Amino acid sequence: MGGKVQGQYGVSSEAPIPLLTPYTLGKFQLSHRVVLAPLTRQRSWNNVPQPHAILYYSQRTTKGGLLIAEATGVSNTAQGYPQTPGIWTKEQVEAWKPIVDAVHAKGGIFFCQIWHVGRVSNTGLQPNGQAPISCTDKPLTPQSQSNGFNVAQFSTPRRLTTEEIPQVVNDFRLAARNAIEAGFDGVEIHGAHGYLLDQFMKDHVNDRTDKYGGSLENRCRFPLEVVEAIVDEIGADKVGIRLSPFADYAEAGDSNPEALGLYMVESLNKYGLVYCHMVEPRMKTVGEKCESPHSLLPMRKAFRGTFIVAGGYDREDGNNAVAEDRADLVVYGRWFLANPDLPKRFARNAPLNKYNRETFYIPDPVLGYTDYPFLEDTE
């Protein structure tokens, strides 16, 4: 691996930086392994993506770089936060197109993360003020949001009947089809962080007695039906999934997270998904790193596709994960939010802009969104 390496960032070094080596993700040729995390930014008025997102995403695009779009609702019952985008209407699909085009114009690969929040919602965000839906009717206790400033209030959810679940599966299928129509290269199914799919998987939440509750197999049935429907609709080469078996976000913990993670990746192997994006056990709650005896390594070894990791990574940590073969790609959230040219900064080992939590979720189309400086601006 010796000798000088000249990359697209004009950096030569004795040995390649692991994060900046090329990688083949299914049919996509990546030029590096630094991935933009799916980050909720709450700047999509009336759940419609806005033109200011064109600049935001294109700023963070590199030729051969993978970007995962912010969590995007699959239906009008999917929303849990104000001003988050959806992809269930024609208007939303059309609004995504110029954003996707801008990423493609710079040679980026763009996946749309599709989600349903389930019980992490309230009647004010639901059609006709109805109750949010979930696997359970157990309510969530009020929680401080991940910016650390606001306290979210949740309404008591309505337990989905067995007969209603196929309709939600279908909502995910149609959202995936719409994402491809909008031009996205693929979709990431959001099966993490205490949202609807995670609510079904985790035994601290799922208290059902039908075929969607009880055993591990039953609890994973709905998420895997979503996977199957989307694979059938758009092809496995365009489908990834995000999972957080170890996390306890939104009171969605599990008594045996390692068994859950292994069961899911072994089940996903049957569908040939292009990637599995997993959250590190050290991220038990939003933004808080803690010591954990657990590891994603068993899941990494069991999964046959590309394995992507997220959760509290910095440059050194990410390089080590790739060098030690614990991951193929590494996802960066807050650091990519604050450093639109993060791959270049990593290449040069340049200092990073600090992120400002107070502007993560404000509705401003520029402040804390597209105004973080590039390296050239700071040099």
Side-chain angles (χ1 to χ4, degrees), residues 2-84:
K4 297 252 184 219
V5 176
Q6 189 78 22
Q8 64 169 317
Y9 308 104
V11 176
S12 62
S13 60
E14 286 306 315
I17 299 162
L19 281 170
L20 298 168
T21 54
Y23 180 78
T24 303
L25 172 68
K27 60 183 180 181
F28 307 106
Q29 295 300 322
L30 304 187
S31 64
H32 61 81
R33 299 167 187 245
V34 180
V35 180
L36 174 69
L39 296 166
T40 292
R41 302 308 311 273
Q42 294 184 224
R43 288 161 167 87
S44 300
W45 323 145
N46 301 315
N47 309 127
V48 178
Q50 296 298 304
H52 47 250
I54 297 171
L55 180 60
Y56 171 74
Y57 283 109
S58 71
Q59 281 180 333
R60 286 158 185 77
T61 303
T62 46
K63 188 176 183 339
L66 174 62
L67 292 81
I68 307 170
E70 62 207 275
T72 300
V74 299
S75 69
N76 65 352
T77 65
Q79 308 307 112
Y81 308 88
Q83 320 296 1
T84 49

Side-chain angles (χ1 to χ4, degrees), residues 237-256:
D237 59 337
K238 301 181 198 69
V239 184
I241 190 167
R242 191 180 214 194
L243 299 170
S244 60
F246 295 94
D248 198 7
Y249 288 39
E251 295 165 18
D254 194 80
S255 61
N256 192 344

Side-chain angles (χ1 to χ4, degrees), residues 202-221:
K202 300 284 182 69
D203 62 10
H204 291 185
V205 184
N206 188 333
D207 55 359
R208 301 179 72 89
T209 54
D210 63 1
K211 66 178 182 178
Y212 293 102
S215 68
L216 182 55
E217 184 183 7
N218 280 359
R219 285 182 280 121
C220 294
R221 186 184 306 277

Side-chain angles (χ1 to χ4, degrees), residues 269-286:
N269 283 335
K270 297 172 195 153
Y271 298 103
L273 259 61
V274 70
Y275 73 73
C276 178
H277 172 188
M278 226 174 237
V279 179
E280 286 287 350
R282 64 190 175 195
M283 306 303 284
K284 284 289 277 189
T285 54
V286 181

